[in-house]
Each structure stands twice: as structure tokens, then as C-alpha cells.
Amino acid sequence: MLLHVNNVTKSYPNAPVLRGVSFDLRAGEMLALTGESGSGKSTLLHLIGGLDSADNGEVVIDGVAMTGLDDGGRAKLRRDVVGVIFQQFNLIPSLDVGANIAFHARLAGRHDAALCTRLAYRLGLADHLAKYPEALSGGQQQRVAIARTLAAQPKLVLADEPTGNLDEAASDGVFALLCELVAETRAGLVLVTHSQRLAARMARRLNLSNGLIA
Ligand SMILES: Nc1ncnc2c1ncn2[C@@H]1O[C@H](COP(=O)(O)OP(=O)(O)O)[C@@H](O)[C@H]1O
Ligand SMILES: [Mg+2]
């Protein structure tokens, strides 16, 4: 089992957000996580990615229980096993596209120049490697973010509304490429989207409502 989420709860001072969420994900499995705005999708993804910690319950990634880890341990697990793609791309403005793509792989000690080149071609970025993020369209920036994540060879990819800032045409292309490339690496994927249209294209769907997975 790549990911095991068991009875996870999380509250903020004014309200419970997650009230006991459980699901499993196998290696190579891809699922869409849907739910209305404010339903706790990002909160859940952040807990899985070790960006925040749960109040109760268990998150086990690749056999390692996050619950027992301190901040440093969670950061290490995130670097070694998990790749996160955000809605806002989060590229590094001072680095060109090529250096952005290699960045996480270098941090993780897994830089592979041939893989970076291959990803750049597949994502239509080969002619843009010397450009800086500000010179790219939103769709291109998100494709750099995808290349950067996959270049680090994560076993688990977490994507939080990765096409939420793109128009419909760009969104469809980026979504299709992300799914195709993740499938080729046999990584697991949890993709958060509020789009039923995109979720419908994924084999497995979970919906978050009232703090629970329905
Ligand atoms: N850091 C925080 N402090 C307080 N409340 C928060 C915080 N982050 C999220 N929330 C609240 O938790 C709920 C779920 O938020 P979120 O996980 O971002 O939902 P979604 O991603 O589904 O839109 C919302 O009511 C939001 O206001
Ligand atoms: Mg969100």
C-alpha cells in the first residue's frame, strides 16, 4: 500500500474540518478528490504531504507513519517520496525553466539530466528552457511545475487544483499530460479538483463533504 489514511481528524479554532477521513491508495493508482469550496480538500492534501499535521488518526506513506515524525522527519519524507503540485505553480522566479525543472530532483539528490530533458520535450518546454517563469503563459508555467515534480521521481504525487488557474483549453491539456506522465512512472496520484468534468475522467473518485469521505 502506497498511502494509508485512517480516521484522520483536523480542526481549526472555529470549526472541525476533517471528522474522520479514511482511504487507501495503491502504487500506480490515481484518484480524484472532489468537494465544495471549503470542504477541506487542501487541508487533507496538506496533511498527506506533511505540510501540516493531523489532530488524530494515521497517515502512512510507503510504510512510514507520519504521525510519529517531527517537522524534520516530515520534510524528509516529503522530499524523498512525495511530490506536490499547487494551483499557483510556485515556480522560482530567479531560475530559468531548465533550473526550475531540475530544482527538486537536485534537493532530493536524484538529479537525472536525461529525465529532465525527456520531461521538457513531453511537456512542450524544450524551446523554453532558457526563459524565466514570468515570460511563460499560465499553462506553460504549470507544465514546468509538473516537470519539476516528476523530475524528482516521487512515488506519490499530490496535486491541489493544478489546473484551477488555467482556462478550459489549457486546463484540459495540462490535466491530460499530468495523468499520462504519472501513469508512465507508476506513481500514485491524488488530484484535488472542484471540476466534475475533470474528475469524471479519472477511474477513482472520492468526495469530501461535511468532513467525511462519502
Ligand atoms: N490555517 C487555517 N486556519 C483556520 N481555518 C482554516 C485554515 N485553513 C483552512 N481553514 C478552514 O478550513 C476549511 C477547509 O479549508 P480548505 O481545506 O482550504 O478547503 P478546500 O480546499 O476544500 O476549499 C475552511 O472553512 C477554511 O476556512
Ligand atoms: Mg483548496
Side-chain angles (χ1 to χ4, degrees), residues 12-14 17 35-44 160-161:
Y12 290 112
N14 29 7
V17 179
E36 288 178 6
S37 179
S39 60
K41 303 182 298 297
S42 293
T43 300
L44 178 56
D160 194 354
E161 312 234 21

Side-chain angles (χ1 to χ4, degrees), residues 88-95 97 100-101 132-134 136-138 140-146 148:
Q88 306 81 355
F89 323 137
N90 293 2
L91 300 180
I92 299 160
S94 59
L95 297 181
V97 166
N100 263 283
I101 291 175
Y132 285 82
E134 64 181 8
L136 303 179
S137 70
Q140 288 170 330
Q141 289 186 52
Q142 191 56 299
R143 283 183 271 133
V144 176
I146 290 169
R148 179 178 62 179

Side-chain angles (χ1 to χ4, degrees), residues 23-52:
F23 70 94
D24 287 328
L25 188 81
R26 293 175 200 288
E29 204 177 358
M30 315 206 325
L31 75 76
L33 178 65
T34 61
E36 288 178 6
S37 179
S39 60
K41 303 182 298 297
S42 293
T43 300
L44 178 56
L45 212 69
H46 290 173
L47 298 185
I48 296 170
L51 298 160
D52 200 353

